[in-house]
Amino acid sequence: MQPVEHLHLEHVLQTVSVLESVVLRSFGPEGGQVLFTRDTGQAMLSRSGRCILSALQLEHPVARMVVQCVLKHSNVTGDGSKTFIIVLASLLRMIHTMACKEPKLSHTYKSRRIAEAATARQLADELLAFAFERLEHLIAVGVVPYACNLSWENLSAKTQLPANSPCVQRLLASFYHSRLSRIHCDFFSDLTCNLLSHWKFKHRQVSASLHFLNNNFPALHTTVSGFPVSYSRLVVGQVIHRDFATPCHFSENQPVRAVCFSGYLQPKILNSGEVLALGRGQQGEEGSVVEFKARAERLLDCVIANLQRLGVSVLLFALKQSPVVHSLAQQAGMCVVECVSEDELSLFAQLSGTQPVPDCQLIEPHHVATLTFCRPIQLGPHRYVHVDFHDCGQNVEAKPCSLVVCGPAEAQADQSARALQDAIRMLLLTWEPTEPTPTALERTWLSNANTPLHADSQRGSLSTLEPGCVIPAGGTFEVLLNQVLLQHGTSRGLPAISKLLADALLSVARQLYSHSPRCFLQIQARLLSSIQTYSHTFSPLRKQEKDDCIPGDGEQRMYCRGEDDIVFISNLGLESVCCKYQLLLAVLQCVSSLLQVDAVLHTHTDLQTLPRRLANISWEEPENEAED
């Protein structure tokens, strides 16, 4: 195989189109699930774009690069994997079409390739510069007036809310509808709301709860396979994913005291610089070993006695302990839990208000945590340690609980757990809009790009949006931004750049309603009618008032912010405005990065001869490609 593969625009487009054909099978309200089978016979059924793309066995480096960009974006926003690929493929098609239409000075194959690549890179850089400079302002002007604020009240799933209320349940149901089975969307929406209500901190903002759940999610959930999804539930306290190393016998009504250790329960025996000599058959050296062991046991007895004095009966360790520690702890009536993960020890410390002990000879009363109970819990085939904290409200101002996610198979349980974590990330970004900034490399590209942007253009700022800005799903965001982009391009003299991005957005809406083009035309006509009626002015985003939502017969009615015009959108749910904006920026950065690549170096060849081979490479096109 040749060490260098020349990469052209059509090669990138073909690769992304293949990925698009994969995700389109599960995209939109009528999308199905994709079945993957491994060589081992294990099968995976999923609608999640992240799971589908991660399961692909990709050999082409461009495909792997695109999937890595998608996964990084999904790690931040928790959503948008399939939309990312669709917008990326649409942009590359239009860039390729425009690049091929550019007049060429030469008719040779090589010169045409070079000219097309230069035009494509210029378009990509102009798009990225346009997005960083003006996209925020256009969203604030053309989309935000039609949005509403998310309501965090009445998180309980048992609360009856109006069908058109912009609440968290509606947003979560729309989110899960694109990732999980349709029959489980409402169930997981209610389960997530119950989780948020338990971890709702007193006297703190909603973002504090979302940050806590996002940072501690690995320690807060347990996946159990072999049970129906409906068996998923919340359990009080914390589940530590280890079993007792020694037997435990605690009274149900008696508080339990516990201490967690970050190392071994082994006192320091040797002083600094002291060396223990070992030998064969030498009485002096043999005596030193015996003396060492005796001194270690005496100090360990002192540590156990100190723990008994403090009333400690549970020892949590990050590392595996010696049999001597197990024996002494069992004799003292203490139970041992070892090999506890760092995430679980950190969560235990936050909930109990204590810290792991670094030196077992320096145990103080403030290191001791008081537990309401400590007992085994059976979850599926595994037995874990279940603890609850006494007076935990003084430490975290919440009602601690852990999440148990069940599924018929291990893969399904893992997918549901990842969907729950992604939902928390999506809610966090929705509640705390951030303004992305270009990296150093992107700033260099933007400064070198030949863009006709005006230096005095006014930029909006999504960071000034009220928290929880959401908009009806089903293509509303894409249609609204499509229109404002076309109007802006005409008025500012940027028709090509604005039309590129506008058409790419509209392709997402078309794919959503590919099963029913008539429905797409009806929704688009209503939105366009509202925009044309009130195109002269847009009132700013205001808080939802009591009269803004008129209950209908199962219809979800959202108010446009023009002159109190009402747009009726049925069964579309809600989606985050900030997540949509982040997705567009991520796609445009990916396009710019892809079109900067000239060739692929296959470094799996002999690395010793690769530098010499690269020095002799001819960058001319092969003779058989000299003409079309």
Side-chain angles (χ1 to χ4, degrees):
M1 180 181 292
Q2 296 182 356
V4 174
E5 176 186 352
H6 295 278
L7 196 65
H8 301 297
L9 177 58
E10 55 265 29
H11 299 158
V12 178
L13 177 58
Q14 291 172 3
T15 303
V16 177
S17 297
V18 173
L19 296 176
E20 181 190 29
S21 64
V22 174
V23 299
L24 280 178
R25 301 173 185 272
S26 58
F27 183 71
E30 299 299 322
Q33 300 193 40
V34 178
L35 177 64
F36 288 93
T37 57
R38 294 188 174 94
D39 295 338
T40 58
Q42 184 180 5
M44 184 189 76
L45 194 66
S46 177
R47 292 189 69 216
S48 170
R50 178 190 179 93
C51 294
I52 293 172
L53 293 173
S54 301
L56 297 176
Q57 299 291 337
L58 301 174
E59 296 183 359
H60 201 282
V62 172
R64 292 200 298 267
M65 178 181 175
V66 171
V67 171
Q68 288 176 2
C69 292
V70 174
L71 296 182
K72 288 181 180 179
H73 167 73
S74 181
N75 288 336
V76 175
T77 64
D79 195 14
S81 300
K82 290 176 281 191
T83 308
F84 188 108
I85 296 294
I86 292 172
V87 176
L88 177 63
S90 180
L91 277 175
L92 288 174
R93 288 192 192 96
M94 289 183 287
I95 290 176
H96 179 261
T97 301
M98 294 185 66
C100 293
K101 288 182 179 179
E102 288 291 325
K104 310 299 187 300
L105 298 178
S106 177
H107 296 285
T108 63
Y109 179 84
K110 179 181 177 181
S111 61
R112 290 201 305 272
R113 291 279 194 176
I114 295 175
E116 291 173 4
T119 303
R121 290 172 185 171
Q122 181 180 355
L123 289 172
D125 291 341
E126 290 177 359
L127 278 169
L128 187 57
F130 174 82
F132 276 120
E133 185 170 353
R134 295 183 177 178
L135 188 57
E136 294 180 26
H137 174 69
L138 296 178
I139 292 176
V141 170
V143 178
V144 169
Y146 296 83
C148 56
N149 295 334
L150 195 65
S151 173
W152 287 88
E153 302 299 329
N154 300 322
L155 282 175
S156 175
K158 298 180 181 180
T159 304
Q160 297 296 327
L161 296 172
N164 57 336
S165 175
C167 58
V168 179
Q169 289 95 325
R170 306 284 187 265
L171 179 61
L172 289 172
S174 303
F175 177 85
Y176 288 128
H177 188 78
S178 63
R179 302 173 63 91
L180 302 175
S181 175
R182 296 180 181 88
I183 60 176
H184 299 142
C185 294
D186 292 337
F187 174 80
F188 278 106
S189 177
D190 295 341
L191 184 64
T192 307
C193 288
N194 289 334
L195 180 67
L196 292 173
S197 63
H198 276 77
W199 286 105
K200 191 175 182 180
F201 295 138
K202 303 175 184 177
H203 313 298
R204 297 173 67 180
Q205 294 183 351
V206 177
S207 58
S209 301
L210 296 173
H211 275 294
F212 182 88
L213 290 172
N214 185 40
N215 296 334
N216 296 279
F217 191 81
L220 279 173
H221 84 281
T222 307
T223 56
V224 180
S225 58
F227 291 88
V229 173
S230 58
Y231 279 40
S232 302
R233 64 191 185 277
L234 301 178
V235 295
V236 178
Q238 180 185 1
V239 175
I240 300 175
H241 300 100
R242 301 297 301 178
D243 197 2
F244 292 98
T246 58
C248 65
H249 304 284
F250 300 116
S251 175
E252 288 292 336
N253 300 324
Q254 181 180 1
V256 181
R257 295 190 174 185
V259 175
C260 53
F261 297 88
S262 57
Y264 295 101
L265 191 65
Q266 181 63 52
K268 183 179 179 182
I269 305 299
L270 299 177
N271 298 322
S272 178
E274 187 178 355
V275 179
L276 178 64
L278 299 177
R280 295 183 179 180
Q282 299 181 13
Q283 186 66 29
E285 294 178 351
E286 184 180 353
S288 64
V289 173
V290 174
E291 182 182 356
F292 172 82
K293 292 176 62 178
R295 194 187 341 167
E297 291 179 359
R298 287 195 302 269
L299 292 177
L300 192 56
D301 288 335
C302 293
V303 172
I304 296 295
N306 185 29
L307 291 172
Q308 285 181 309
R309 181 180 59 83
L310 295 173
V312 176
S313 53
V314 177
L315 305 179
L316 303 176
F317 295 99
L319 304 175
K320 186 174 180 60
Q321 303 301 306
S322 64
V324 177
V325 174
H326 291 180
S327 177
L328 293 177
Q330 188 171 356
Q331 292 175 11
M334 302 177 186
C335 64
V336 176
V337 183
E338 54 189 4
C339 300
V340 182
S341 68
E342 182 180 351
D343 293 334
E344 292 173 333
L345 282 181
S346 175
L347 179 61
F348 183 90
Q350 295 180 68
L351 298 180
S352 63
T354 61
Q355 291 296 328
V357 180
D359 189 348
C360 61
Q361 293 179 297
L362 300 176
I363 303 176
E364 301 293 339
H366 63 270
H367 291 133
V368 181
T370 304
L371 307 177
T372 304
F373 60 79
C374 178
R375 59 197 179 199
I377 181 174
Q378 191 77 27
L379 296 177
H382 303 287
R383 196 176 82 148
Y384 302 117
V385 177
H386 186 200
V387 299
D388 192 20
F389 302 89
H390 185 69
D391 295 334
C392 183
Q394 299 178 0
N395 301 319
V396 298
E397 301 178 343
K399 297 180 292 184
C401 65
S402 296
L403 179 65
V404 179
V405 183
C406 300
E410 183 179 358
Q412 290 177 309
D414 291 338
Q415 288 180 48
S416 300
R418 282 195 295 266
L420 278 162
Q421 186 175 19
D422 289 342
I424 294 172
R425 291 170 178 168
M426 181 270 297
L427 291 174
L428 179 59
L429 186 61
T430 303
W431 192 250
E432 284 191 344
T434 58
E435 182 180 357
T437 56
T439 63
L441 181 59
E442 290 158 0
R443 284 193 292 268
T444 303
W445 291 344
L446 300 183
S447 61
N448 295 333
N450 183 18
T451 58
L453 301 178
H454 302 285
D456 58 347
S457 60
Q458 298 295 326
R459 297 183 62 193
S461 179
L462 285 181
S463 59
T464 62
L465 287 180
E466 294 186 18
C469 184
V470 293
I471 197 166
T476 306
F477 176 89
E478 287 79 9
V479 173
L480 292 174
L481 189 54
N482 170 273
Q483 292 302 307
V484 73
L485 282 169
L486 294 178
Q487 295 175 6
H488 179 81
T490 303
S491 61
R492 295 298 184 93
L494 297 171
I497 298 301
S498 296
K499 192 174 186 304
L500 268 178
L501 189 55
D503 291 345
L505 286 168
L506 207 58
S507 66
V508 176
R510 290 195 183 98
Q511 290 293 344
L512 281 172
Y513 298 98
S514 59
H515 64 287
S516 178
R518 181 179 179 181
C519 183
F520 167 69
L521 294 175
Q522 290 176 349
I523 291 179
Q524 186 183 22
R526 287 191 173 182
L527 289 172
L528 294 182
S529 175
S530 176
I531 294 173
Q532 293 171 1
T533 304
Y534 303 106
S535 59
H536 60 282
T537 180
F538 290 99
S539 61
L541 176 67
R542 57 184 174 86
K543 292 184 178 180
Q544 179 111 0
E545 299 178 356
K546 293 182 180 180
D547 297 335
D548 279 355
C549 293
I550 303 177
D553 297 331
E555 280 189 324
Q556 181 175 353
R557 303 183 178 186
M558 304 300 299
Y559 276 83
C560 295
R561 301 309 189 203
E563 298 290 338
D564 290 337
D565 182 30
I566 302 176
V567 177
F568 295 91
I569 301 178
S570 302
N571 302 323
L572 295 181
L574 299 171
E575 58 188 2
S576 169
V577 174
C578 187
C579 289
K580 286 288 187 178
Y581 170 67
Q582 294 274 359
L583 184 141
L584 290 179
L585 282 185
V587 170
L588 293 175
Q589 293 176 50
C590 182
V591 170
S592 183
S593 301
L594 286 173
L595 297 184
Q596 298 296 324
V597 180
D598 288 318
V600 177
L601 304 180
H602 298 279
T603 57
H604 61 272
T605 56
D606 188 359
L607 296 180
Q608 295 180 354
T609 62
L610 183 59
R612 183 173 64 255
R613 297 180 64 181
L614 292 178
N616 298 327
I617 288 175
S618 173
W619 292 90
E620 300 292 336
E621 294 292 338
E623 294 182 359
N624 56 358
E625 295 185 1
E627 296 296 338
D628 291 335

